[in-house]
Amino acid sequence: MQVCSLSLTDFRSYARVELEFSAGLTVIVGPNGHGKTNLLEAVGFAAGMGSLRGAPDGALIRDGADAAVVRCLARAADAREVLIEGELARSRPNRVRVNHQPVARRRDLVGVLTVTVFSPEDLDLVKGEPARRRRWIDDALTAVRPSLGALRSEVDRILRQRNTLLRQAGGRATDDVVITLDVWDSKLAAAGDELRTRRQELLGALSPRIKSYYAQIAKGRDEAGGAYMSSWGEESLAEALAAARRDDLRRATSTVGPHRDDVQLRIGGLPSRTHASQGEQRSLALALRLAVDAEVRERRDVQPVLLLDDVFSELDSVRAAALLDALPLSQRILTTAAGLPAGVRSDQLIRLTGESPPPVLVGEGSS
Ligand SMILES: Nc1ncnc2c1ncn2[C@@H]1O[C@H](COP(=O)(O)OP(=O)(O)OP(=O)(O)O)[C@@H](O)[C@H]1O
Ligand SMILES: [Mg+2]
């Protein structure tokens, strides 16, 4: 899959802009605050994603405008063209169309245009709280097998209901509370055991990839890897929930389950969250993204478009070159405020220049 052109109206800082992308590498270069990330967010939007920096949808609409429109022409591997059109409005539901046909939900676009995003915030995968890594492994599960999105929503829904019940119980195990809790526990046990198994299987498949990408980028002797840390042991989740029930009632929350698990990342045997250097953490975060991308390519037979936002700024030149080499040879769209990666040709550049707002685009040849 390849993004051929992008046309934006009132999206982020852009009142109006049209861009074309080459099939291989495109580097978007310009000073800070000139709208580089905004362009990648627009491609992400066409791929069914929200803001790449976790902002609410409203932030994607240009300040002062009522609606943002993103039009993206993409070409599949078999040369079929796909026109993805999305409108994001402040005061009415969003509208999404594929080849002029309405699509019910924006996330249905995920199967139309697939992207792999590398963003500066990815450092949080390594440095952040366990919730960040749970989201990573769950996002990976749905990227590899979109149908698993339902399992994840199911676990979230059961947990919300179970926690509401525990809060309402106020620490008292009345007959009513016990009967309802039994129902939620059996649902949570089934869905939670399955989610843990799926995560563990996927992590098992990703681990050798993480190790090899890390070795490729970091060129170090230290091995990187990930281990699944569960909040319950070898027993079934049903047994663990039963054992934790008294505690759960007292604390009015669910203390065991997939929402309390973590993926522990290590470099050279040491936990990277607390021991790794900034550059090592960055390299590991890149390896995590590349590993999932490779798994998606193999299992779903798709070629995700790679979007790399400002990921070179913290890497030394050796690691930056190693990263460029490690990228699969599908379409790659990079942004950078600093130096260009070595070997980039002028016909692969889009320069953002001029005063903001709005930035003026000077595409230097774009086919
Ligand atoms: N909804 C919006 N309406 C108008 N302007 C916006 C909106 N959202 C963001 N901007 C502006 O867009 C600019 C940021 O653009 P962007 O994050 O793409 O910059 P960048 O080129 O990636 O910069 P950096 O190199 O610092 O990452 C800021 O000036 C911001 O004020
Ligand atoms: Mg940026």
Side-chain angles (χ1 to χ4, degrees):
M1 189 55 109
Q2 176 204 334
V3 173
C4 306
S5 65
L6 191 65
S7 141
L8 308 180
T9 308
D10 292 331
F11 187 92
R12 288 280 196 190
S13 53
Y14 295 96
R16 183 99 193 90
V17 73
E18 303 212 4
L19 280 177
E20 288 181 1
F21 295 96
S22 68
L25 180 69
T26 301
V27 180
I28 301 170
V29 59
N32 295 138
H34 273 58
K36 302 182 297 294
T37 301
N38 294 348
L39 290 176
L40 294 193
E41 272 185 321
V43 178
F45 182 80
M49 305 175 72
S51 160
L52 301 189
R53 47 197 132 182
D57 275 358
L60 299 177
I61 305 171
R62 191 169 67 94
D63 189 40
D66 290 328
V69 177
V70 173
R71 251 183 221 100
C72 175
L73 184 67
R75 190 177 299 129
D78 61 6
R80 259 183 320 119
E81 289 200 332
V82 189
L83 177 64
I84 301 164
E85 297 170 288
E87 186 201 58
L88 200 62
R90 294 197 198 277
S91 55
R92 54 181 184 273
N94 300 339
R95 279 198 293 236
V96 180
R97 294 188 302 173
V98 175
N99 290 334
H100 308 290
Q101 299 299 314
V103 169
R105 296 165 309 176
R106 193 197 323 165
R107 60 172 191 280
D108 294 335
L109 291 175
V110 170
V112 179
L113 173 63
T114 312
V115 295
T116 294
V117 180
F118 301 75
S119 108
E121 275 98 51
D122 290 349
L123 208 53
D124 273 357
L125 294 175
V126 183
K127 282 174 75 164
E129 298 297 314
R132 195 63 201 80
R133 285 176 293 282
R134 286 194 296 270
R135 183 143 41 91
W136 166 75
I137 192 81
D138 288 345
D139 284 348
L141 275 176
T142 37
V144 168
R145 256 183 72 182
S147 61
L148 286 177
L151 174 63
R152 183 179 175 182
S153 314
E154 168 82 349
V155 169
D156 287 348
R157 188 182 63 82
I158 298 167
L159 275 168
R160 270 198 308 276
Q161 314 240 33
R162 188 175 190 272
N163 288 339
T164 303
L165 175 68
L166 289 169
R167 275 196 304 277
Q168 287 166 348
R172 286 180 305 276
T174 61
D175 288 351
D176 278 357
V177 166
V178 168
I179 290 167
T180 322
L181 207 47
D182 282 345
V183 174
W184 290 125
D185 282 12
S186 71
K187 287 180 193 281
L188 181 58
D193 266 329
E194 185 180 355
L195 185 59
R196 179 174 77 171
T197 305
R198 301 287 186 180
R199 285 174 175 174
Q200 286 170 325
E201 278 168 6
L202 180 60
L203 190 63
L206 291 174
S207 285
R209 298 192 192 274
I210 295 170
K211 186 175 139 189
S212 116
Y213 278 122
Y214 183 80
Q216 216 175 324
I217 298 166
K219 297 194 185 297
R221 291 158 302 157
D222 292 334
E223 254 186 29
Y228 195 82
M229 311 296 281
S230 187
S231 55
W232 74 101
E234 291 295 311
E235 77 275 27
S236 68
L237 181 53
E239 289 168 280
L241 286 169
R245 178 169 288 191
R246 190 200 288 254
D247 211 24
D248 284 4
L249 273 163
R250 190 172 51 79
R251 294 167 61 178
T253 189
S254 306
T255 56
V256 290
H259 62 298
R260 289 291 175 106
D261 295 356
D262 193 4
V263 175
Q264 195 185 56
L265 300 169
R266 290 178 164 266
I267 298 173
L270 297 172
S272 28
R273 187 177 172 196
T274 46
H275 288 61
S277 79
Q278 183 91 347
E280 286 168 344
Q281 289 178 336
R282 168 68 61 202
S283 304
L284 182 53
L286 289 162
L288 295 178
R289 293 290 189 212
L290 283 164
V292 175
D293 178 81
E295 196 68 19
V296 167
R297 278 166 208 271
E298 187 175 301
R299 292 224 227 156
R300 277 184 51 210
D301 194 25
V302 291
Q303 300 287 316
V305 175
L306 301 168
L307 304 177
L308 295 99
D309 190 20
D310 205 19
V311 293
F312 293 92
S313 51
E314 267 166 39
L315 297 177
D316 57 44
S317 57
V318 176
R319 287 183 179 208
L323 170 60
L324 270 188
D325 283 346
L327 294 177
L329 285 178
S330 50
Q331 189 178 33
R332 290 144 286 154
I333 306 177
L334 276 58
T335 73
T336 177
L340 293 174
V344 174
R345 303 189 314 262
S346 68
D347 65 347
Q348 295 171 321
L349 281 182
I350 293 176
R351 273 186 203 281
L352 300 184
T353 58
E355 304 299 313
S356 54
V360 178
L361 281 183
V362 187
E364 297 178 9
S366 46
S367 50

